[in-house]
Each structure stands twice: as structure tokens, then as C-alpha cells.
């Protein structure tokens, strides 16, 4: 225990005297997170505002109208405002004035009309001698109608987008109604009671694949992206002081000297790992603190860290482990301090770029998005997104945590192999 | 009765990876308790390799090393607990002070804080580093570093001390202080194995000498015996040159 303490004290003394290293670990990330968050704030806001303002009147208080409203509302791409009791002229005017880019009017009896059309179609499938299967309502004849009014400035891709969504929802409702009608028929004709399918919505999935601009990537705000991104970036910069520390010890002969002292090498490695691990943890706390309390002072939103403290802790541990072991690996592989600093910093910057630290992955092309998955920084970042934005629990985070820990394991294994080098 | 051999090296063989010749070629050595044993030889003779194997840093290809009755191969940690090592290079933390270095390595040897302070202050005084004891090693001169390098190797008062060229690159004053101190701890029971290529120093300092070259022993004996056996030589340096040749080495 005393030995371990001595190692930790030694490491802290050395690190605290390394001004460049300390600046890199603590000043740089603070600076980066402030600057990048402020810089990107407006960009992220624009992304947020890509939600199209849509005005809706729903005259059909039945399945069709309700489902369409529900579907559009659940989409991140439309900002739905529902109005009742409004003059059609007033309604159109709101679109003309540009208050809303799209107006949608769902006419009365839409659901009943759809139902009736389906019933008529079914009737035609049966031979005439079966007779009339359904009772038709007079006022429900004709097609169901949805009127769509576009602002002329609207780009056609957005038009496609809303039309696509509407058609999608409407197809879903038609299928649902058809199912209901057939169920009724089975009951009337054959006295077979079909159970209601609770999973009907799953069959016809509310999959948000829109005709154009849509994807289902989550979009964080500038703070939610930049705080975890630069925290991870900073944690990985541990690689540089840590690797150079290891190489220094090897070159000076301290490392060999420790090998001549019974049982001290293992303790020394352990103490070193623990010290840098704690440093990474302190970085994370510092950055969280900045996200929570300092960024709001600059007029930015405060970081929402979600409610899962345990998940946050575990993910942070996994990221720090990955960063620390990566540093240990580079320290063992590189032969000179210069090599380790250059390789360490370049590799971290590249992994950060690929991993969506600089440009978030939701802005990436599919190619880059796939490429981003090879970066440990991306695993960490996605895990933080999951916690901050999706409020995910540990189970959902498991894949990313496992990747980070697997990466750590590989790094340690490689370090072990390389540490045997020279002892031949 | 023959004095007890504290170190026995039998048929030590070592060839480094990707090299053509053996660095150590069946080396045999016996060091008696209380000796100041000089392992002498030109550059590349195999001195450092021998010391590295003696302190368990480098595994031999074959051969046995027995220290104080314990086989190094089977119980390395037991052997390591008996030895102190002063390596050829300055194996110190440049960013720590002299005291912090002593404290760290003392702790690694399992010493208590008070003990380290007591012994450390003693050593700092002896080696005239008291004034600099709170300065970082990187501000030290070569001689100061070498003295501290030595102090770190003996902070725990080992029974057996290995020194690899301890007097390289330092001024006469530092060298004298070091030699005098080593004689002092030898008198109080420490067996010393020391390598050098400086024959004059060895002649005055060592009780036993072994001259090695190309990883093999060329001759051994007390300094006086070596001179006796080589009547044509005036001093050990002549003996050394006669036996190892005048070609320039590595
Ligand atoms: N790590 C190594 N790899 C390959 N050859 C080495 C290594 N270390 C030493 N040698 C070679 O082994 C021989 C003995 O070296 P060394 O023990 O350092 O000699 P000395 O300490 O007497 O100068 C030399 O020929 C040297 O070049
Ligand atoms: Mg040597």
C-alpha cells in the first residue's frame, strides 16, 4: 500500500510539474469547449429550426385524422400547429403570409369515406347472391379528401417530404381500416371473433423515412454535442503525457531499475495507470461542470445530463480506461518521445475527426458515418449522446461500453507484448 | 578453509537477438563475501550484460547464477531483495528532486519514511548534495547525477552491490568520494561487484579482479597476483592491454 502510494505521489509530482502536459489536459479542452460551443451554436440552432411549420385543421375526429395528426406530430421534421374553428380564408392567409409553410385540411368524414370505399371494394369481391354485406351511409359517399396548401417558396423536396409522410400515414390507416372491416365480416358471416391486433402499429411501422430530407439520427444542440465531444477528446490527450512518461522511464533506465527491485514494477505500472485514470476522471468532472454552470453564463443552454448517473459513471470509466490504455500502448510501442507525441496527437486528432468530435456524426455522409464507427472516440460520444439525449440505461449502452473495454484490453495486451521487447 | 562464495556464475551464455556472436561465452565467476570484485574489460566485453543478468534484468540463454545460495532463475525476488544496483546510465527521475528520488526508490525497497529520511540525509551529506537536495535532478551536473544515481542504489543498505561503471564521466573529486564511500560500506560487510575499464582505479580499489573480453574470462586474481604473473608489465593497464590487445573496440 505504501509502495502504491509512493508511486502515485511520484506520478502526481511529475505530472504537476509538466506545464505543457497540464495545459494540454486541462486548459485546452476548456478553451475548445467554450469556443466550439459558441461557434457552433447558431449552426445547431439552424438545424433545429429545419422543422417545417405546418398548420392543420382536422375535421375528421376519427381514425384517419387522428393518426395523421399523431404521425406528423411525432416527427422531428414538422412543427405542427392544430387549429379549430377557423375560416378557410383565414387559414389560407396564414400560409400566404408565411407564418406557416404548409397548411393541411383534413375534411369531414374522411375516415367514414375511406371505410365506405373499402366496403364497396369488398362487396365487389363477393358474388351477387351473397347480397348486401354492409350498410352504407349516404353522407359518406365520395372520396376522402385532404387539402394541402403550400407556401410557394417551399422547396420541392419539402413538398415531397410532407406528401410522402401523408401518403404513408394514410396507407397505414387504410390498411388498419381494412383489417377492421374484414374482422367485422368474419364475425357477422362466420361468427369467428378475431382478436384485436395490438401489434397492428408495429406491422405498419411508423418508420420515419421521409421522401427527402429525413433520417432518424438524433440531433443534439451545440452544448449537448460539444461538451461530451471535447471531454472525450481531452481525455484521449492523456495519451501524450502518459506515453512520454513511459518512454522517459524506459530510456532513463528507471524502468530497468524498478525491475531490479522485487515486486516494484507491477506496482509502478498499476500506480501510473491509476494516476492517469483519475486525471481523466477529473477532466470529465471539470468538463461536465463547465457544461452545467459555465456555458449558461455565455448565453448557451445548460448541459442536460439526463437522469442516469450510474450510466454516466460507467461510460466515463470506460472512456477513461480506453484513453489511458491507449496511452500505455503508445508508450510501449513508440521508441522515442518525439515519435509518441507526434503519433499520439495525430492519431487522437484523426480519431476525433472520424469519430464525430469536430463535425458531429449526424452531419456526416453515410460513408463517413460508417467510418466513424471505427473510432473509440465515437463509441464514447455515442454513449454520451445516448445518456444525455435518449436517457438510455446501461443495457442500451452495453455495446459501446463493451467496445471501449475491448479496445482497452487490446491496448493492454499489445503493451504487454511490447514491454517484453528489449529484454532479450 | 576457503571463504564463502556469495556469487557463483556457471557457464553463463548469452547471445542477443539478431547478433552473430555470443555477448557472453561460457563465463564463470566466483565472488567471495566481502570482496570488492572488479569485472574489467574493454567496451563491448560483456560487463553490462553480466551485471544485467546478475540482477535479474536479462535472462541468460544458459548457465546458472547463484547468489547467496539462491538460484536466481528459480527465486528472482529473493535474490532481488539482497542486492542493490547502480546502473551504468543515470536511472533517475529528472523532474523529481534528489530527496523525492530517494524517497520513491526507498519506498520501492519497502523502507519506512523515517528510515529513508535518516539514511537519505546521511547520504546527501556524504556526497555533498545536501544543499541541492530539494532541486530537480535535471538541474544537476553530470557528477551530481552520478552521485545520486549511486545513492539511490544503496539507500536500502544492500548486502550485495552491483555497480556498472560508476566512475564514468565524473571529476576526480566525485570519483574519490564514491570510491571512499564504497570502501567504507565494504568494510561494514557489503560485497561489491563493480565494472570498469579504468585499470588504475581498479588496481587501487579492488580486492579481486577478473578481466573479460568477448564474453570470456581472460584472467583473474588479486591485483598483486596479476602483476606477479605478468612480470613484463608495469601496472594493470599494461596487463590489460597485453591481454586484450591494442585494437580499438566498440
Ligand atoms: N540489447 C542488445 N542487443 C544486441 N546486442 C547487444 C545488446 N546489448 C549489448 N550487446 C552487445 O553485446 C556485447 C556486450 O555488450 P555489453 O555487455 O554492453 O559490454 P560492456 O558493458 O562490457 O561494454 C557487445 O558486443 C554489445 O554490442
Ligand atoms: Mg557497459
Amino acid at each position: 500500500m505504501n509502495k502504491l502510494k509512493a508511486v502515485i505521489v511520484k506520478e502526481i509530482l511529475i505530472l504537476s510539474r509538466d506545464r505543457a502536459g497540464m495545459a494540454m489536459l486541462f486548459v485546452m479542452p476548456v478553451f475548445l469547449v467554450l469556443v466550439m460551443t459558441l461557434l457552433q451554436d447558431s449552426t445547431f440552432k439552424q438545424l433545429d429550426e429545419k422543422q417545417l411549420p405546418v398548420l392543420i385543421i382536422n375535421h375528421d375526429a376519427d381514425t384517419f385524422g387522428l393518426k395523421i395528426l399523431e404521425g406528423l406530430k411525432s416527427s422531428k421534421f414538422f412543427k405542427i400547429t392544430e387549429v379549430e374553428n377557423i375560416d378557410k380564408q383565414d387559414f389560407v392567409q396564414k400560409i400566404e403570409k408565411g407564418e406557416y409553410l404548409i397548411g393541411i385540411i383534413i375534411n369531414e368524414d374522411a375516415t367514414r369515406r375511406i371505410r365506405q370505399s373499402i366496403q364497396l371494394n369488398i362487396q365487389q369481391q363477393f358474388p351477387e347472391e351473397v347480397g348486401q354485406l354492409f350498410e352504407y351511409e349516404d353522407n359518406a359517399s365520395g372520396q376522402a379528401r385532404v387539402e394541402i396548401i403550400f407556401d410557394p417558396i417551399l422547396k420541392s423536396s419539402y413538398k415531397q417530404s410532407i406528401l410522402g409522410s401523408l401518403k404513408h400515414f394514410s396507407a397505414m390507416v387504410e390498411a388498419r381500416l381494412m383489417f377492421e372491416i374484414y374482422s367485422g365480416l368474419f364475425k357477422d358471416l362466420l361468427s369467428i371473433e378475431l382478436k384485436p391486433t395490438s401489434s397492428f402499429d408495429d406491422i405498419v411501422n411508423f418508420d420515419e423515412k421521409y421522401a427527402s430530407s429525413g433520417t432518424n439520427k438524433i440531433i443534439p444542440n451545440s452544448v449537448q454535442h460539444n461538451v461530451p465531444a471535447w471531454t472525450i477528446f481531452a481525455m484521449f490527450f492523456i495519451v501524450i503525457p502518459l506515453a512520454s512518461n513511459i518512454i522517459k522511464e524506459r530510456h532513463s533506465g528507471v524502468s530497468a531499475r524498478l525491475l531490479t527491485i522485487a515486486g516494484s514494477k507491477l506496482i509502478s505500472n498499476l500506480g501510473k495507470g491509476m494516476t492517469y485514470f483519475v486525471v481523466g476522471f477529473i477532466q470529465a468532472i471539470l468538463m461536465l461542470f463547465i457544461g452545467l454552470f459555465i456555458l449558461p453564463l455565455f448565453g448557451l443552454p445548460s448541459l442536460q445530463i439526463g437522469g442516469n448517473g450510474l450510466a454516466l459513471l460507467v461510460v466515463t470509466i470506460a472512456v477513461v480506461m480506453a484513453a489511458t490504455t491507449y496511452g500505455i500502448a503508445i508508450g510501449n510501442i513508440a521508441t522515442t518521445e518525439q515519435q509518441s507525441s507526434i503519433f499520439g496527437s495525430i492519431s487522437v486528432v484523426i480519431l476525433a475527426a472520424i469519430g464525430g468530435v469536430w463535425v458531429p456524426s449526424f452531419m456526416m455522409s453515410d460513408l463517413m458515418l460508417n467510418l466513424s464507427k471505427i473510432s473509440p472516440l465515437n463509441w464514447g460520444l455515442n454513449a454520451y449522446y445516448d445518456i444525455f439525449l435518449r436517457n438510455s440505461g446501461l443495457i442500451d449502452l452495453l455495446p459501446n461500453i463493451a467496445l471501449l473495454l475491448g479496445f482497452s484490453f487490446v491496448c493492454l495486451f499489445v503493451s504487454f507484448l511490447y514491454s517484453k521487447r528489449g529484454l532479450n | 578453509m576457503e571463504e564463502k562464495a556469495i556469487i557463483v556464475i556457471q557457464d553463463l551464455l548469452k547471445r542477443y537477438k539478431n547478433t552473430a556472436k555470443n555477448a557472453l561465452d561460457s563465463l564463470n565467476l566466483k565472488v567471495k563475501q566481502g570482496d570488492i570484485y572488479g569485472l574489467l574489460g574493454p567496451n563491448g566485453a560483456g560487463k553490462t550484460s553480466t551485471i544485467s543478468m546478475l540482477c535479474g534484468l536479462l535472462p541468460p540463454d544458459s548457465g546458472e547464477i547463484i547468489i547467496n545460495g539462491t538460484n536466481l532463475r528459480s527465486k528472482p525476488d529473493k535474490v532481488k531483495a539482497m542486492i542493490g544496483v547502480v546502473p551504468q546510465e543515470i536511472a533517475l527521475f529528472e523532474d523529481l528532486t534528489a530527496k523525492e528520488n530517494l524517497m520513491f526508490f526507498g519506498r520501492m525497497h519497502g523502507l519506512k519514511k523515517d528510515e529513508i529520511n535518516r539514511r537519505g540525509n546521511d547520504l546527501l551529506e556524504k556526497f555533498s548534495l545536501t544543499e541541492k537536495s530539494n532541486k530537480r535532478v535535471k538541474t544537476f551536473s553530470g557528477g551530481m547525477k552520478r552521485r545520486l544515481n549511486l545513492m539511490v542504489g544503496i539507500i536500502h543498505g544492500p548486502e550485495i552491490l552491483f555497480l556498472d561503471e560508476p566512475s564514468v564521466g565524473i571529476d576526480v573529486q566525485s570519483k574519490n568520494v564514491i570510491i571512499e564511500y564504497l570502501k567504507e560500506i565494504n568494510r561494514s560487510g557489503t560485497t561489491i561487484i563493480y565494472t570498469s575499464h579504468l585499470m588504475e582505479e581498479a588496481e587501487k580499489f579492488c580486492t579481486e579482479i577478473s578481466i573479460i573480453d568477448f564474453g570470456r574470462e581472460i584472467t583473474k586474481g588479486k591485483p598483486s597476483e596479476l602483476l606477479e604473473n605478468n612480470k613484463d608489465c608495469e601496472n594493470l593497464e599494461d596487463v590489460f592491454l597485453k591481454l586484450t590487445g591494442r585494437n580499438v573496440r566498440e
Side-chain angles (χ1 to χ4, degrees):
Chain A
M1 217 41 222
N2 278 334
K3 285 191 181 186
L4 190 61
K5 199 176 117 194
V7 175
I8 293 171
V9 168
K10 179 255 306 183
E11 294 295 353
I12 292 173
L13 283 174
I14 291 176
L15 188 63
S16 67
R17 286 169 191 174
D18 175 8
R19 294 226 182 115
M22 290 298 274
M24 200 183 300
L25 293 183
F26 293 105
V27 181
M28 178 192 73
V30 169
F31 182 78
L32 276 174
V33 79
L34 282 176
V35 171
M36 296 306 278
T37 312
L38 283 165
L39 271 179
Q40 294 185 352
D41 191 39
S42 61
T43 316
F44 276 85
K45 263 191 195 140
Q46 277 169 18
L47 278 171
D48 232 20
E49 282 162 8
K50 269 194 184 155
Q51 283 196 323
L52 291 180
V54 178
L55 190 64
I56 292 192
I57 312 176
N58 178 22
H59 292 301
D60 179 47
D62 203 339
T63 316
F64 183 75
L66 295 178
K67 281 286 166 190
I68 286 196
L69 258 178
E70 186 185 304
L72 289 177
K73 274 181 184 165
S74 74
S75 154
K76 286 176 207 67
F77 298 93
F78 308 116
K79 203 166 144 236
I80 304 297
T81 310
E82 199 189 348
V83 281
E84 289 168 34
N85 312 323
I86 185 173
D87 215 86
K88 184 155 176 192
Q89 220 145 30
D90 291 348
F91 182 86
V92 174
Q93 226 170 38
K94 279 183 188 291
I95 314 291
E96 280 171 353
K97 276 193 279 176
E99 260 177 78
Y100 299 89
L101 293 177
I102 300 168
I104 297 173
I105 303 170
I106 302 168
N107 285 352
E108 300 93 46
D109 295 324
T111 309
R112 270 197 288 173
R113 284 169 205 247
I114 295 170
R115 202 175 273 132
Q116 192 141 317
S117 314
I118 294 169
Q119 287 169 342
L120 284 168
N121 277 316
I122 292 174
Q123 182 78 60
Q124 281 166 17
Q125 292 178 307
F126 284 83
E128 261 168 50
E129 50 269 32
V130 176
Q132 181 129 337
L133 288 167
F134 307 102
E135 286 173 28
Y136 303 108
E137 296 163 47
D138 290 342
N139 58 355
S141 58
Q143 272 192 309
R145 262 162 41 88
V146 176
E147 284 175 68
I148 307 167
I149 302 143
F150 292 115
D151 184 318
I153 65 155
L154 197 65
K155 278 195 263 168
S156 78
S157 66
Y158 290 122
K159 289 181 194 161
Q160 291 309 316
S161 168
I162 191 96
L163 283 174
S165 312
L166 287 174
K167 282 179 184 157
H168 174 82
F169 297 136
S170 130
M172 203 202 78
V173 171
E174 284 167 32
R176 188 193 185 98
L177 291 176
M178 196 175 317
F179 189 85
E180 281 174 12
I181 292 165
Y182 266 115
S183 296
L185 218 51
F186 267 71
K187 194 181 164 200
D188 290 345
L189 298 180
L190 306 169
S191 299
I192 296 173
E193 187 108 24
L194 293 185
K195 289 180 194 130
T197 60
S198 55
S199 62
F200 196 82
D201 282 353
D202 290 338
I203 298 169
V204 180
N205 194 349
F206 274 87
D207 186 3
E208 290 197 4
K209 283 238 170 67
Y210 294 89
S212 66
S213 64
T215 60
N216 56 3
K217 299 168 192 171
I218 34 168
I219 301 181
N221 66 30
S222 184
V223 172
Q224 285 164 328
H225 165 71
N226 279 297
V227 173
W230 298 109
T231 305
I232 297 171
F233 185 69
M235 287 195 270
F236 268 84
F237 255 84
I238 276 187
V239 163
I240 290 148
L242 176 53
S244 98
N245 172 305
I246 291 170
I247 291 167
K248 250 188 207 143
E249 285 196 7
R250 198 169 64 232
H251 282 188
S252 65
V254 164
S255 187
R257 181 168 227 153
L258 286 169
L259 281 171
T260 69
I261 305 173
S264 64
K265 187 65 184 170
L266 191 67
I267 301 254
S268 172
N269 288 343
L270 190 68
K272 193 189 298 294
M274 282 169 63
T275 307
Y276 280 83
F277 181 85
V278 170
V279 167
F281 222 83
I282 293 171
Q283 287 180 299
I285 293 169
L286 172 74
M287 297 292 273
L288 273 185
F289 176 83
I290 288 179
L292 288 170
F293 303 111
I294 307 296
L295 293 182
L297 301 181
F298 290 83
L300 293 162
S302 155
L303 179 67
Q304 302 294 311
I305 57 170
N308 200 332
L310 179 67
L312 190 59
L313 182 73
V314 174
V315 166
T316 304
I317 288 174
V319 174
V320 183
M321 288 270 280
T324 313
T325 53
Y326 185 48
I328 293 173
I330 291 184
N332 279 288
I333 295 169
T335 49
T336 65
E337 265 187 82
Q338 201 190 13
Q339 217 180 53
S340 81
S341 310
I342 293 174
F343 180 76
S345 50
I346 291 181
S347 68
V348 170
V349 168
I350 289 178
L351 287 175
I354 295 175
V357 166
W358 302 86
V359 175
S361 46
F362 68 83
M363 291 186 187
M364 291 178 175
S365 67
D366 281 353
L367 176 71
M368 284 309 291
L369 193 65
N370 283 330
L371 193 60
S372 76
K373 299 204 167 71
I374 65 165
S375 167
L377 282 80
N378 184 256
W379 309 334
L381 191 54
N382 279 337
Y384 280 119
Y385 279 171
D386 281 347
I387 298 173
F388 293 167
L389 304 173
R390 294 202 184 95
N391 224 340
S392 299
L394 271 179
I395 303 287
D396 306 311
L397 297 167
L398 221 51
N400 281 321
I401 292 172
L403 279 170
L404 286 165
L405 294 181
F407 176 78
S408 307
F409 181 78
V410 170
C411 284
L412 282 181
F413 186 68
V414 169
S415 307
F416 175 76
L417 291 183
Y418 271 86
S419 70
K420 297 284 162 211
R421 176 187 61 180
L423 295 182
N424 48 18
Chain B
M1 194 188 94
E2 190 163 297
E3 284 166 273
K4 185 186 159 205
I6 197 164
I7 298 173
V8 180
I9 295 180
Q10 285 167 355
D11 296 325
L12 205 57
L13 197 95
K14 179 76 196 176
R15 179 181 296 187
Y16 288 99
K17 256 189 208 156
N18 310 321
T19 58
K21 61 181 180 57
N22 291 339
L24 287 187
D25 198 4
S26 268
L27 188 74
N28 287 282
L29 280 182
K30 234 177 215 155
V31 179
K32 298 190 298 300
Q33 188 151 29
D35 273 350
I36 297 180
Y37 197 104
L39 195 58
L40 310 178
N43 283 341
K47 305 181 295 293
T48 300
S49 303
T50 308
I51 297 284
S52 300
M53 282 189 258
L54 280 171
C55 58
L57 266 180
L58 189 68
D61 294 347
S62 66
E64 294 303 328
I65 295 171
I66 292 154
I67 295 182
N68 225 351
T70 306
N71 191 319
L72 177 63
R73 195 193 300 273
S74 51
K75 288 190 176 144
D77 280 359
K78 193 177 169 195
V79 169
K80 284 176 185 176
M82 299 186 275
I83 65 171
V85 183
V86 180
Q88 188 172 355
E89 70 272 39
I90 308 290
L92 299 169
F93 293 103
E94 296 257 322
D95 293 311
L96 296 186
T97 66
K99 271 201 168 157
E100 287 162 353
N101 268 287
L102 287 168
M103 181 56 71
F104 173 74
F105 285 106
R107 283 293 204 187
M108 290 298 105
H109 280 293
L111 304 184
K112 295 227 159 21
K113 201 172 162 185
D114 296 343
E115 208 177 348
I116 299 169
N117 279 329
R118 191 171 45 74
R119 286 188 55 90
N121 287 337
D122 236 33
L123 286 168
L124 286 163
E125 194 62 49
K126 278 223 163 66
F127 289 98
S128 321
L129 279 177
T130 307
E131 258 176 55
K132 293 279 192 176
S133 63
N134 288 318
K135 294 268 180 289
R136 292 187 209 170
V137 172
K138 65 175 166 204
T139 67
F140 284 15
S141 72
M144 288 157 68
K145 285 181 185 172
R146 209 151 263 293
R147 279 177 274 157
L148 184 61
N149 198 37
L150 172 77
M151 290 156 64
V152 164
I154 56 181
I155 181 79
H156 58 304
E159 249 179 282
I160 302 167
L161 181 60
F162 299 117
L163 302 111
D164 196 1
E165 313 231 18
S167 49
V168 164
I170 50 171
D171 57 26
V172 184
Q173 282 79 5
S174 289
K175 195 184 303 187
N176 256 337
V177 178
I178 289 179
I179 296 285
E180 285 315 308
Y181 182 78
L182 292 176
K183 281 184 177 168
E184 187 186 317
I185 59 170
N186 175 251
R187 277 194 295 276
S188 51
T190 307
T191 305
I192 294 173
I193 295 87
Y194 131 110
T195 77
S196 178
H197 57 269
L198 304 172
M199 294 303 127
E200 220 185 297
E201 181 183 294
E203 189 172 343
K204 282 190 254 166
F205 177 46
C206 298
T207 59
E208 293 286 335
I209 281 174
S210 174
I211 297 181
I212 64 169
D213 202 4
F214 300 113
R216 269 184 305 252
E217 182 186 283
I218 294 185
T219 186
K220 72 170 150 206
K222 295 187 193 313
S224 57
E225 290 169 359
L226 293 185
L227 283 172
E228 189 76 15
N229 296 343
N230 297 276
K231 288 251 161 51
D232 51 332
C233 298
E234 252 178 51
N235 52 32
L236 270 189
E237 186 149 334
D238 283 347
V239 176
F240 183 78
L241 284 173
K242 181 182 146 196
L243 295 176
T244 60
R246 291 182 179 271
N247 306 352
V248 175
R249 300 300 172 78
E250 291 188 353

